[in-house]
Amino acid sequence: ESVSKEKLPEVEELVYGNITADMFRKIKKLKALSKSSNENEAFAAYTQCMKLCAEHSLDFDKIPCNN
């Protein structure tokens, strides 16, 4: 039987160590933006992504990127 997320609210709380699903999505978006053709946007996104990775003990190279 399939279990929906609504029945398990704790699923959203932590997905990887001490990080919420929302924060993980934010980091993934920043990593994708870090590959932008706009140098300023890419640099800003990369810098912020690396900061968040350090704060949450994540390896930048292991964060999936959907671009």
Side-chain angles (χ1 to χ4, degrees), residues 7-47:
K7 293 180 183 177
L8 294 174
E10 67 275 7
V11 169
E12 270 296 307
E13 290 177 13
L14 300 173
V15 292
Y16 186 42
N18 64 345
I19 188 170
T20 64
D22 285 340
M23 180 56 68
F24 193 70
R25 279 192 288 276
K26 179 178 181 173
I27 291 170
K28 284 174 54 174
K29 287 179 184 178
L30 286 168
K31 183 171 181 181
L33 277 174
S34 75
K35 298 172 189 252
S36 169
S37 59
N38 178 319
E39 277 188 36
N40 291 329
E41 179 180 63
F43 180 76
Y46 175 79
T47 302

